[in-house]
């Protein structure tokens, strides 16, 4: 892979992390306050929903960090190393954790009788995307494991 491509992807990962951080610090609290003022009957859900969204930001940013590490491995021509395999494993687990948090949030809002169809759709889409990322990371991880084993066998025969 060309160096320019990995630099671009690293920049995209950093930009995503920065955008999510800014959204968590500036936009989410403002939107939560506005929603609580606009719909006082649901104001008691302000903090549980904010905490749930902040909880999903943690594994998201950890997955971005692992993606950055994976790109560094690729850049150093160590794409078939144990580090790359471990990074994909962690990305897979973080994506599943995001899915679990969103499903728990949807169930919580459903129990509270506060699940708006639009919120449900956003939660389902994010959960589906996270599961897709997890499956893709698992497939790539398995491919890298197999390639790493073949490389090890090839190194032994030479």
């Amino acid at each position: 892979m060309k160096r320019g491509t990995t630099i671009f992807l690293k920049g995209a990962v950093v930009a995503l992390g920065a955008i999510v951080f800014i959204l968590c610090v500036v936009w989410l609290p403002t939107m939560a306050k506005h929603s609580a003022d606009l719909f006082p009957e649901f104001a008691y859900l302000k903090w549980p929903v904010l905490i749930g969204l902040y909880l999903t930001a943690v594994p998201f940013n950890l997955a971005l960090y692992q993606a950055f590490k994976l790109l560094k491995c690729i850049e150093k021509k160590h794409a078939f190393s144990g580090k790359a395999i471990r990074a994909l494993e962690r990305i897979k687990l973080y994506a599943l954790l995001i899915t679990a948090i969103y499903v728990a949030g949807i169930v919580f809002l459903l129990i509270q009788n506060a699940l708006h169809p639009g919120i449900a759709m956003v939660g389902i889409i994010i959960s589906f995307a996270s599961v897709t990322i997890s499956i893709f990371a698992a497939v790539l991880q398995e491919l890298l494991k197999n390639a790493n084993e073949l490389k090890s066998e090839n190194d032994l025969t030479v």
Side-chain angles (χ1 to χ4, degrees), residues 22-44:
I22 290 168
L23 286 175
C24 285
V25 171
V26 177
W27 186 76
L28 274 178
T30 305
M31 185 55 73
K33 183 180 180 334
H34 177 70
S35 295
D37 292 342
L38 201 57
F39 303 104
E41 66 272 14
F42 297 115
Y44 69 98

Side-chain angles (χ1 to χ4, degrees), residues 1 4 14 20 24 34 39 63 68 93 95-97 100 102 114 116 118 122 139 141 148 151-152 155-156:
M1 187 177 277
V14 170
V20 168
C24 285
H34 177 70
F39 303 104
F68 195 85
L93 293 176
L96 287 175
L97 183 58
Y102 268 92
H116 186 276
V122 169
V139 168
Q141 178 191 6
N148 200 16
K151 181 180 169 222
S152 295
D155 288 345
L156 291 174

Side-chain angles (χ1 to χ4, degrees), residues 6 10 18 20 45-46 52 61 75 77 82 86 99 110 117 119 122 129 147:
T6 56
K10 282 180 173 179
V20 168
L45 292 171
K46 174 184 170 183
N61 283 308
E75 202 172 52
K77 308 254 190 263
R86 282 188 299 278
T99 301
L110 191 62
I119 294 171
V122 169

Side-chain angles (χ1 to χ4, degrees), residues 56 59 92-106 123-134:
T56 60
K92 175 182 73 173
L93 293 176
Y94 293 142
L96 287 175
L97 183 58
I98 290 169
T99 301
I101 293 170
Y102 268 92
V103 168
I106 288 171
I124 290 168
I125 289 168
I126 291 172
S127 296
F128 179 74
S130 294
V131 167
T132 303
I133 289 168
S134 179

